[in-house]
Amino acid sequence: MKSIAIFCGSSNGASDAYIESARRLGKELANRKITLVYGGASVGVMGALADAVLEHGGKVIGIMPAFLEQREISHKRLTELIVVGSMHERKAKMAEIADGFIALPGGPGTLEEFFEIFTWAQLGLHQKPCGLLNINQYFNPLIELFNHMTNEQFLHEKYRSMVIVENEPKRLLEKFDSYEPPTIKTYITDEKQT
């Protein structure tokens, strides 16, 4: 795994644990020589993550729409900053260059980015691992929702298991190394064929 795209908040969050865990993940990425691909901001969890990768000698590629870059929130010390025309272009570029995807705590934008990339995996548009770094049990309600979707038969168990959840960065990355994608989604209702 050469690069991982990480979706996360541009705010610090209510607990110091969010920044601390983002920094631990950044250090782990740098130690493993995995390039961070992220939204390019210098603020919040995003900024702490990028700073940690850079402080430990790692590479960071930021991808930011021009309208955000013009608001002067782009990180000025990145290995590379790619400025694109829209949020859609940002997600497409991240998906193109990353070998896996992780969501850290964040708001609606973080969830939207993660859900799109998870849906693409479910549809077989890519076979890259998708994970949640469950800092401070932040994603517990989302994990419960995934389980509810599975119980109510809107999410097949083999796709539910595609979402790798861990509390510690090192364990999450270890699971990424051994990830095996399930077969491509079909719409056949015969359980023997799905």
Side-chain angles (χ1 to χ4, degrees):
M1 193 153 291
K2 295 180 181 177
S3 62
I4 293 180
I6 299 185
F7 311 121
C8 55
S10 58
S11 298
N12 289 347
S15 170
D16 291 342
Y18 301 124
I19 296 296
E20 291 166 10
S21 290
R23 293 187 63 75
R24 281 202 317 275
L25 176 58
K27 180 180 179 182
E28 193 67 33
L29 290 171
N31 289 345
R32 292 170 180 254
K33 302 196 183 321
I34 298 173
T35 298
L36 166 64
V37 179
Y38 86 122
S42 60
V43 294
V45 175
M46 294 174 76
L49 175 66
D51 286 343
V53 174
L54 293 167
E55 287 165 14
H56 292 91
K59 294 181 181 177
V60 181
I61 299 172
I63 303 173
M64 181 172 279
F67 79 91
L68 287 178
E69 202 270 336
Q70 291 165 1
R71 292 181 189 174
E72 299 181 354
I73 63 167
S74 63
H75 200 297
K76 303 303 181 199
R77 296 184 296 113
L78 302 180
T79 309
E80 182 179 2
L81 177 65
I82 301 170
V83 179
V84 295
S86 69
M87 297 293 280
H88 295 294
E89 289 177 56
R90 172 198 251 178
K91 290 184 292 184
K93 190 67 176 174
M94 291 175 89
E96 175 190 330
I97 62 178
D99 299 319
F101 307 91
I102 296 173
L104 273 63
T110 298
L111 291 178
E112 184 270 334
E113 290 170 324
F114 181 79
F115 272 111
E116 183 164 356
I117 211 71
F118 171 50
T119 302
W120 290 358
Q122 188 178 356
L123 294 171
L125 297 177
H126 70 80
Q127 296 187 320
K128 303 170 184 178
C130 300
L132 300 173
L133 186 57
N134 195 21
I135 302 166
N136 211 28
Q137 293 84 46
Y138 182 80
F139 288 115
N140 283 4
L142 178 58
I143 295 162
E144 289 175 21
L145 179 59
F146 282 141
N147 293 338
H148 181 64
M149 289 176 183
T150 303
N151 292 339
E152 294 299 316
Q153 300 178 6
F154 286 103
L155 178 62
H156 195 285
E157 177 56 40
K158 70 179 175 180
Y159 303 119
R160 163 63 188 90
S161 66
M162 290 170 67
V163 180
I164 302 167
V165 180
E166 276 297 337
N167 299 331
E168 286 298 322
K170 186 174 182 178
R171 288 199 304 265
L172 183 59
L173 293 174
E174 286 168 356
K175 286 188 175 180
F176 268 44
D177 286 340
S178 61
Y179 176 72
E180 293 287 336
T183 55
I184 295 174
K185 181 176 177 61
T186 63
Y187 293 91
I188 299 169
T189 55
D190 181 354
E191 284 299 313
K192 294 176 185 171
Q193 297 182 43
T194 58

